[in-house]
Amino acid sequence: MNARVVVTDYTFPKLDREEAAARQAGADFAAFQCRTAEDVAAAVAGADVALVQFAPFGPAAAAALKPGGTVIRYGVGYDNIDLGAAGDHGLRVGYVPDYCADEVAEHTVSAALALLRKLPALDASVRSGTWAAAQTARPMKPFADTVFGFFGLGQIGRAVQQRLAGLGFRFIASDPMLSEADAAALGVRRVDTATLLREADVLCLHAPATRETTGFFNAANLAAMQPHAIIVNSARGQLIVEDDLAEALSAGTIGGAALDVFNVEPLPADSPLRTAPNVLLTPHAAWYSDAAIDRLQGLVAEDVARALRGEGPRRPVGR
């Protein structure tokens, strides 16, 4: 029986490279658009390789994949893969953390600067017939007086800070992995989370969703921020309690938010974020460029070939 490669879900126009890698190794290839854990388990039953984008790969899927098989996540994170279950069944798990750091950084910078300069509000005012720059834009600090904060300063956070470094901002960051020496070299002041919340005029989230960070931006911590402060999240939706943020935006206790990731995607039609003021919403698009898609699918195709040769993923994920 031929080996089998399955794509559980995808948002790409085509899967030519992945299919070619499978066919060249003599494997069968199938693609699905799974939404639930049950769909995924059924799709991957008996497969040697599973390629997963956003669908949940849980215990049932781990048990259904061929023992010793390989799971590759299309993306930087792997929150939708149950690593414990994968380990229990001897599966190899890989991901692609190095295909879109520039794109995410550039999206984050673009969103932050748009909100700091009040571009959405100014655009809306012109369209509504109001011509009142100062009235619409206030309060607005010059960049030289603006404290740009980072909740996590890893690969992407540092790419954001590098792009902003010439604009006059002062930088602070809270990250348990950030050393004083690294912070000094970057021109960033290392602070605790309480100081970060209190001092940041704009706060970019670049942390993974862990037990400590999930739901960190709740009502209490949002209330500790400055009323004009802006939150930019292109990391993980689970970092924010969305109802609490929507309430803070509506009450004016937070100045604005730019959100590219959400607890549930697509964002539900009844989400209060859809009607909250001063919020810029994008559909998990920070990773995207034409070149990034090409890199991502090319690297996944390489992992398909590796798996079918009996090799481990290019970038393995530990249990």
Side-chain angles (χ1 to χ4, degrees), residues 188-313:
V188 175
R189 180 163 59 94
R190 192 175 68 162
V191 298
D192 58 24
T193 53
T195 304
L196 183 75
L197 294 172
R198 184 175 65 251
E199 294 189 7
D201 296 302
V202 56
L203 182 49
C204 282
L205 312 189
H206 295 293
T210 65
R211 184 176 303 170
E212 293 75 25
T213 63
T214 295
F216 182 85
F217 290 89
N218 55 23
N221 283 333
L222 291 169
M225 297 178 67
Q226 301 182 77
H228 66 266
I230 291 165
I231 293 178
V232 181
N233 189 12
S234 54
R236 287 290 176 264
Q238 290 73 23
L239 303 179
I240 296 175
V241 180
E242 292 176 351
D243 287 353
D244 291 355
L245 176 59
E247 185 174 342
L249 289 163
S250 297
T253 55
I254 288 292
L259 308 174
D260 187 57
V261 288
F262 306 91
N263 281 275
V264 176
E265 296 181 356
L267 185 66
D270 61 352
S271 169
L273 290 171
R274 289 182 177 270
T275 55
N278 302 320
V279 61
L280 185 61
L281 306 174
T282 52
H284 204 141
W287 63 275
Y288 178 78
S289 74
D290 295 344
I293 279 189
D294 187 63
R295 285 194 297 270
L296 175 59
Q297 292 190 266
L299 291 170
V300 170
E302 288 182 23
D303 266 335
V304 169
R306 291 175 64 91
L308 294 174
R309 291 195 301 265
E311 301 173 7

Side-chain angles (χ1 to χ4, degrees), residues 70-88:
T70 298
V71 183
I72 302 297
R73 166 85 215 291
Y74 278 110
V76 174
Y78 39 85
D79 298 344
N80 57 325
I81 297 175
D82 189 322
L83 296 182
D88 290 343

Side-chain angles (χ1 to χ4, degrees), residues 53-113:
Q53 190 172 19
F54 298 119
F57 190 95
L65 199 69
K66 188 175 291 185
T70 298
V71 183
I72 302 297
R73 166 85 215 291
Y74 278 110
V76 174
Y78 39 85
D79 298 344
N80 57 325
I81 297 175
D82 189 322
L83 296 182
D88 290 343
H89 292 278
L91 305 182
R92 292 168 164 173
V93 181
Y95 70 135
V96 191
D98 49 354
Y99 82 98
C100 68
D102 287 341
E103 284 80 2
V104 175
E106 288 155 9
H107 183 100
T108 302
V109 168
S110 299
L113 296 183

